Amino acid sequence: MDKEYGENKLPHCNEKTVLAEDFKTFFHSKVKDIYSGIEKDSVQYKETNSDQYMQGHENLSKFAQFREVSVEELFDLAKDLSDKSCELDILPIWLFKSCLPELI
């Protein structure tokens, strides 16, 4: 048994709704901090690393010419996509794939 929290492992609080609000506020703040840190790191990474990366890589291939893609190639590429999705995806891949004939 935990000496500080007792059997239920929750902080002592007389009102369960107050405890729930405290948890919500605490975790909301943590998630907000995480997202702002990710955003800040992402912007900083893009600004510093693109120039650093290009130094010494001047001879890398560049997208200077493109060829036309056929409908069949596009359909095959989309059909072969992995079915994995995440909550940030605007549209789940399985749904996108099921609508391919209408989209292409």
Side-chain angles (χ1 to χ4, degrees):
M1 177 170 17
D2 192 317
K3 291 179 183 176
E4 186 177 350
Y5 297 118
E7 283 287 323
N8 65 6
K9 304 276 187 195
L10 294 174
H12 296 291
C13 186
N14 294 332
E15 292 289 324
K16 290 183 179 183
T17 54
V18 171
L19 180 61
E21 283 296 318
D22 288 347
F23 272 111
K24 180 189 90 171
T25 302
F26 175 80
F27 285 107
H28 178 74
S29 170
K30 292 290 182 188
V31 169
K32 212 165 136 183
D33 289 346
I34 290 168
Y35 276 118
S36 68
I38 290 171
E39 186 175 287
K40 197 181 315 174
D41 287 346
S42 176
V43 169
Q44 187 177 17
Y45 178 82
K46 287 177 187 172
E47 289 172 352
T48 59
N49 286 344
S50 61
D51 291 335
Q52 290 173 355
Y53 182 78
M54 289 311 292
Q55 292 174 355
H57 294 93
E58 291 82 12
N59 295 326
L60 289 176
S61 297
K62 295 185 173 126
F63 289 116
Q65 294 180 338
F66 299 92
R67 69 174 179 81
E68 193 170 326
V69 178
S70 71
V71 173
E72 291 80 22
E73 285 177 291
L74 187 59
F75 186 82
D76 289 341
L77 285 169
K79 189 177 64 172
D80 291 339
L81 289 171
S82 170
D83 287 331
K84 293 182 180 179
S85 290
C86 83
E87 60 208 28
L88 299 176
D89 290 342
I90 295 171
L91 185 68
I93 296 296
W94 65 265
L95 182 57
F96 171 75
K97 287 169 130 180
S98 71
C99 298
L100 273 177
E102 291 81 10
L103 296 171
I104 297 180

